[in-house]
Amino acid sequence: MSDAPTRKCPFAAPITTARAACRHATEVVRRGGSEYDCADAAAHDRCTALFAGLKRAGLDAFQVEDDLTQMPHSVLVKIQTGGLTGLRRLLEPATEADAPIADVAALAAQAADAYGGVEQVPVAALAEDMRACKLERRGRRRGR
């Protein structure tokens, strides 16, 4: 077992669904299945702060409480995926909306540079992107 600290990726959902990628994401398998850890401490700190802001805006946008027993998982996925898509829309308006995010860490760094830190990103402006985010439907279960 490694002594390296575990840095769970706050944007694992869009990476898992191939709607985003990140040069620092390392796939790991845990009891719950496949997840992603971040191999870079500074990038992890930046992404974690960015996600915290997106989550605050997203909870307001979806009018839900930050309660894991009450909030649907799909809301967190929409906050992550739609938030990143909206951020890219602000920073790179010429990019096709449905194109996957090439590098989450690079997008977070670009946002930090553009706004003077990820804490300054105008996350409220991304709420509509979160609400508009369409998720892939799971296939029907067979044999039931």
Side-chain angles (χ1 to χ4, degrees):
M1 188 152 207
S2 173
D3 290 337
T6 300
R7 297 183 202 98
K8 286 187 176 186
C9 175
F11 295 106
I15 293 172
T16 300
T17 60
R19 294 180 77 175
C22 183
R23 68 181 180 269
H24 299 302
T26 304
E27 189 171 12
V28 294
V29 178
R30 294 193 174 98
R31 277 186 235 165
S34 188
E35 295 180 5
Y36 289 88
D37 282 350
C38 184
D40 184 90
H44 182 261
D45 290 347
R46 190 170 33 252
C47 285
T48 299
L50 176 60
F51 176 67
L54 292 173
K55 187 175 176 184
R56 280 190 305 276
L59 293 173
D60 287 344
F62 289 103
Q63 299 179 341
V64 295
E65 296 291 322
D66 190 6
D67 180 349
L68 291 176
T69 64
Q70 301 296 315
M71 179 177 32
H73 176 70
S74 62
V75 169
L76 281 177
V77 174
K78 288 180 176 192
I79 290 170
Q80 291 176 32
T81 306
L84 289 175
T85 301
L87 182 58
R88 182 181 60 195
R89 176 184 54 78
L90 291 180
L91 296 170
E92 304 168 5
T95 304
E96 184 181 323
D98 290 340
I101 307 292
D103 188 352
V104 173
L107 184 65
Q110 183 182 359
D113 290 345
Y115 296 105
V118 291
E119 297 83 2
Q120 307 306 316
V121 170
V123 293
L126 309 176
E128 189 54 40
D129 297 282
M130 294 177 206
R131 284 192 299 264
C133 182
K134 301 289 185 216
L135 302 179
E136 302 277 328
R137 290 182 162 249
R138 289 185 181 181
R140 288 188 141 176
R141 290 186 182 175
R142 295 184 180 205
R144 287 191 177 206

